[in-house]
Amino acid sequence: MVTILTRAAAAAGAADSTGPLAPKAAAGVPDVTFGSRPDPSGDGTVWAKDRSGEVVAEAHWQSDPGGDTYPKGDTLYVSDYLADGIGARGEASVGIRISTGGAGDRVHRTKDVAEGTRLYINLCMTNSTGAVCSPGLAVHA
């Protein structure tokens, strides 16, 4: 994922993986609109809606969910709700990038991030011709 972050970090002489993720788009990508909601706890959710306003996918960041039900550590979840030929990919600026395998699929990746670290997540909708991604949503570990 060579992005503005990588170029800016190289120019600064250090790797900063916590900068905002830039929206990306390519020709022929899914027609969706994005929304997001930060939580006061530092968690947050980004979603994609289709033309009819139905939520088709989500990416959710949860810092240290723990417990018996959830993985321990900071976790990015990605869900794809429709069998429509469009995939969902979640990205976190701390080096997490995961994709679903299809409709009804929910995947997650856990990574221990230093407490209080500010980072950004986004959601990308993908198909065989490319991807369109949401703006980055600020969250923290």
Side-chain angles (χ1 to χ4, degrees), residues 2 13-14 24 29 37 48 67 76 81 95 102 110 113 116 119 124 128-129 135:
V2 177
K24 297 167 259 178
V29 296
R37 178 185 64 249
L76 179 65
Y81 300 122
T110 300
V113 180
L119 59 131
C124 300
S128 61
T129 62

Side-chain angles (χ1 to χ4, degrees), residues 21-119:
L21 297 166
K24 297 167 259 178
V29 296
D31 183 14
V32 296
T33 57
F34 292 103
S36 63
R37 178 185 64 249
D39 295 333
S41 66
D43 298 346
T45 304
V46 178
W47 60 85
K49 290 184 178 182
D50 63 12
R51 288 182 185 176
S52 66
E54 183 176 356
V55 174
V56 296
E58 290 182 332
H60 177 74
W61 176 260
Q62 191 166 9
S63 59
D64 298 320
D68 295 333
T69 306
Y70 298 101
K72 299 190 181 354
D74 305 295
T75 305
L76 179 65
Y77 298 91
V78 180
S79 301
D80 185 354
Y81 300 122
L82 294 178
D84 56 1
I86 299 172
R89 181 178 72 228
E91 301 174 343
S93 61
V94 291
I96 299 174
R97 186 175 184 171
I98 55 174
S99 297
T100 62
D105 195 14
R106 183 175 194 209
V107 296
H108 69 274
R109 172 104 11 104
T110 300
K111 181 175 185 175
D112 285 325
V113 180
E115 293 304 311
T117 299
R118 183 179 171 134
L119 59 131

Side-chain angles (χ1 to χ4, degrees), residues 3-19:
T3 64
I4 295 170
L5 297 174
T6 306
R7 291 188 296 270
D16 178 10
S17 64
T18 60

